[in-house]
Amino acid sequence: MAVDTSPRSTTWTHVDGEWLPGNPPLIGPTSHAMWLGSTVFDGARWFDGIAPDLDLHCQRINRSALAIGLKPVKSAEEIAALAWEGVAKFDGATAIYIKPMYWGEHGAPGSIVSVDAASTRFALCLFEAPMGGHAGTSLTVSPYRRPSPETAMTEAKTGSLYPNSGRMIAEARSRGFDNALVRDLNGNVVETASSNVFMVKDGMVMTPAANRTFLAGITRARVMDLLRKAGFDVVETTLSVEDFLAADEIFTTGNYSKVVGVTRLDDRNLQEGPVTRKALELYMNWAHGRSESEE
């Protein structure tokens, strides 16, 4: 029985100069991306009439393309303009995920494995995806690790890294958790399987230092900046599983749900604390252009 390839929500994709509805067939069985994984993407959000840090996401997709050996064929400004054009195709009732993508169509001359940068293709896909996750999430320490820059293209937001994240989540869910707390090859905590992670201890906010084994996200940087401006002591440092187990609060940041409190880490239950709530409040106020006095 054929698999239904239609998207699960309203979707529009811009490719080769036109907007196409649904899930257009763009990659064939001989495409380099199909069998050798030469794909990068990024993800921004539109909600409530705003698209926070859209420009930074559009800049990062081009950096990711270069890191994996592809050639950016759109400027960040062109991608952002197309994103707003695409947003206008929706009814505005549901949040949208904005996903620019590059992929390689052919292997390089003389090499099937290496991608031919001259064959880079671009698409911009927008689809409805409600904001969620603010009720809290549960984590367990994953038995799997993040690779190092010597073993994978960790400095690109590439699809080839995500099967590892997928198995982390699947393994965690098999044990009754939502997501996984992930370590690097040295055993230090670096992120969750799908987001950056913070902990709070005695009022100090700490997050794993960006050591090139994980993507230090745009939302992560924004939340760090906002907390510092609000008077919090925010530190990037080396953190262990034991540090997180002793934390007063744990929360995650990411483009998909912005700020989410952690309510359980393995056998330890936690409450969504005041710093977590403040981080979300600060982010949403900044995104909407509000000052704290307006709250």
Side-chain angles (χ1 to χ4, degrees):
M1 182 177 178
V3 175
D4 180 6
T5 62
S6 58
R8 295 180 176 177
S9 64
T10 301
T11 303
W12 284 92
T13 298
H14 186 276
V15 64
D16 296 335
E18 62 178 332
W19 285 100
L20 302 173
N23 187 30
L26 300 180
I27 297 178
T30 67
S31 298
H32 191 274
M34 177 74 171
W35 65 315
L36 293 171
S38 55
T39 68
V40 294
F41 74 99
D42 217 286
R45 274 293 212 172
W46 176 94
F47 58 95
D48 298 343
I50 57 176
D53 284 328
L54 175 61
D55 57 338
L56 300 184
H57 287 281
C58 295
Q59 293 165 22
R60 188 171 65 181
I61 181 67
N62 283 354
R63 294 197 301 273
S64 290
L66 291 170
I68 203 173
L70 298 169
K71 179 182 179 181
V73 297
K74 298 282 187 185
S75 70
E77 293 76 15
E78 288 173 324
I79 297 170
L82 281 173
W84 284 111
E85 187 178 308
V87 165
K89 294 183 172 294
F90 294 79
D91 63 14
T94 304
I96 298 168
Y97 192 80
I98 301 171
K99 182 176 62 170
M101 297 172 285
Y102 287 113
W103 70 97
E105 189 60 36
H106 301 297
S111 172
I112 293 175
V113 174
S114 182
V115 67
D116 182 358
S119 73
T120 300
R121 297 188 67 194
F122 170 82
L124 175 64
C125 179
L126 285 76
F127 59 90
E128 290 183 341
M131 300 287 285
H134 297 134
T137 190
S138 60
L139 300 177
T140 182
V141 178
S142 178
Y144 305 119
R145 305 288 181 97
R146 283 286 300 181
S148 68
E150 296 84 5
T151 60
M153 290 182 171
T154 56
E155 292 176 305
K157 194 171 176 67
T158 169
S160 62
L161 292 174
Y162 279 79
N164 190 39
S165 294
R167 71 170 180 165
M168 292 171 181
I169 292 173
E171 192 278 335
R173 291 186 174 180
S174 75
R175 295 191 282 115
F177 296 87
D178 298 319
N179 207 325
L181 191 67
V182 180
R183 296 164 290 174
D184 62 17
L185 295 178
N186 292 322
N188 300 311
V189 171
V190 287
E191 61 173 0
T192 78
S194 60
S195 56
N196 294 134
V197 68
F198 290 74
M199 58 165 279
V200 183
K201 183 67 175 178
D202 298 328
M204 178 178 290
V205 182
M206 290 173 276
T207 192
N211 63 2
R212 299 175 61 217
T213 68
F214 69 100
L215 201 65
I218 291 168
T219 306
R220 170 185 180 271
R222 180 63 65 189
V223 168
M224 289 170 62
D225 179 62
L226 291 169
L227 285 170
R228 283 171 176 154
K229 288 178 177 176
F232 289 89
D233 191 3
V234 182
V235 177
E236 294 180 83
T237 187
T238 300
L239 295 167
S240 66
V241 171
E242 290 71 27
D243 289 327
F244 276 85
L245 287 170
D248 299 325
E249 298 179 46
I250 302 172
F251 63 90
T252 68
T253 63
N255 176 61
Y256 210 86
S257 298
K258 303 308 179 185
V259 179
V260 178
V262 173
T263 55
R264 181 163 61 116
L265 173 57
D266 281 330
D267 294 332
R268 185 170 175 222
N269 293 319
L270 299 102
Q271 298 293 320
E272 183 187 84
V275 179
T276 301
R277 290 191 295 271
K278 189 64 176 180
L280 179 58
E281 176 189 315
L282 288 168
Y283 181 88
M284 288 302 179
N285 282 346
W286 166 81
H288 288 90
R290 296 190 298 252
S291 65
E292 288 192 72
S293 62
E294 294 179 80
E295 285 296 293

